[in-house]
Amino acid sequence: MKRLMALIPMLLVAGPAWAEPTPVKVHAISQDAKFIGDSMGGVEVVLRDAQTGKMLAKGLTVGGTGDTKKIMEAVGRSPMLTTPDAAHYSTTLDISVPTLVKVELRGPLGRPLTMQRATSERWLVPGISAGDGWVVELPGLAIEVDGVSAMIAGRAATVTAKVGLMCGCPITPGGLWDAADYEVTAELHRKGEKSERTSLAFSAAPGLFSSAITPGFSGKGELWIVARNIRTGNAGVARVPVRIAKP
């Protein structure tokens, strides 16, 4: 009996650690703007063990863009940005020890021309939630393209691009995302080389930029729409295949 009693502490130490349910909430926030959710098709979220690469969970962010004032007027090094309605992906991981977790973001899924990726790593402690959630910034601009279906070599064609933030937040004259801060260009590429380039002027709210471009070649090519915020450097590129007819 004495021998058995002496073994009990050793068995307790050697036994498996008990996993604890650990809540995880991930938010994807657009660079210069708000959270990315339902209005833009959400963002794909993958959680992995950073050391082994094993996938721990996968899902989409759902919800709204959040509180504009709280986000855009935030001050301090690590301000609390989220509200209960702000888009997020929530899950629960069962972990028994502090675990380094990697998150991979891809989106917004509703703007396939300009989807971006972002990754981040952080330690998760068993049973402890992370305050404001795990907020990861997704750079880029969401771009949709129109006016490229009927191009003819040597003839001017109007190209229109709709540019917005990754959260769907609108670009308007004098607005919170001021049209004057954005530069948008259209480029025609052939065989990997730029052929023509023109600046697109702001034409209508929200976020429409347009101008004419004259193709200098016929056949297959690509139209590139390049948009950037001239103050912050945040940029997006949409590439659309085009076939330019002979005159």
Side-chain angles (χ1 to χ4, degrees):
M1 178 61 74
K2 290 182 179 180
R3 186 175 180 182
L4 178 61
M5 294 297 290
L7 286 173
I8 289 177
M10 297 175 62
L11 291 172
L12 290 174
V13 172
W18 295 103
E20 293 188 56
T22 304
V24 183
K25 181 184 286 188
V26 178
H27 300 268
I29 192 166
S30 170
Q31 183 176 345
D32 300 337
K34 301 170 65 182
F35 294 105
I36 309 169
D38 298 340
S39 64
M40 298 296 279
V43 172
E44 180 184 78
V45 178
V46 177
L47 296 172
R48 298 185 185 276
D49 184 308
Q51 295 177 312
T52 66
K54 178 184 176 182
M55 188 170 73
L56 305 174
K58 181 179 180 179
L60 297 176
T61 61
V62 295
T65 58
D67 185 316
T68 302
K69 183 179 178 66
K70 188 171 186 177
I71 298 168
M72 300 306 296
E73 297 181 13
V75 295
R77 182 64 181 85
S78 300
M80 298 289 281
L81 300 176
T82 66
T83 48
D85 65 321
H88 63 275
Y89 165 64
S90 290
T91 189
T92 300
L93 303 180
D94 291 325
I95 57 176
S96 56
V97 296
T99 303
L100 184 62
V101 174
K102 179 181 182 180
V103 66
E104 302 170 349
L105 302 183
R106 183 176 69 93
L109 301 184
R111 296 295 183 272
L113 285 179
T114 45
M115 287 195 298
Q116 293 268 107
R117 297 175 184 268
T119 62
S120 181
E121 292 184 0
R122 77 185 303 173
W123 286 96
L124 298 183
V125 179
I128 305 298
S129 62
D132 200 28
W134 192 346
V135 179
V136 183
E137 184 175 271
L138 191 67
L141 295 168
I143 304 171
E144 298 175 276
V145 186
D146 192 18
V148 298
S149 59
M151 286 189 170
I152 300 174
R155 298 184 187 176
T158 299
V159 174
T160 299
K162 184 175 182 180
V163 182
L165 283 298
M166 296 296 247
C167 54
C169 299
I171 295 173
T172 58
L176 195 55
W177 297 278
D178 191 348
D181 291 335
Y182 292 85
E183 177 186 83
V184 183
T185 61
E187 301 175 357
L188 282 171
H189 289 243
R190 184 187 188 192
K191 297 180 180 180
E193 295 185 358
K194 183 167 59 180
S195 175
E196 285 81 36
R197 179 181 184 274
T198 189
S199 296
L200 303 187
F202 183 84
S203 58
L208 291 180
F209 294 79
S210 63
S211 188
I213 191 168
T214 302
F217 64 91
S218 60
K220 294 181 180 179
E222 271 192 330
L223 175 69
W224 291 31
I225 302 297
V226 182
R228 71 183 184 97
N229 183 307
I230 60 176
R231 291 192 306 106
T232 69
N234 188 30
V237 178
R239 299 170 59 175
V240 181
V242 294
R243 180 180 289 275
I244 300 166
K246 293 181 179 179

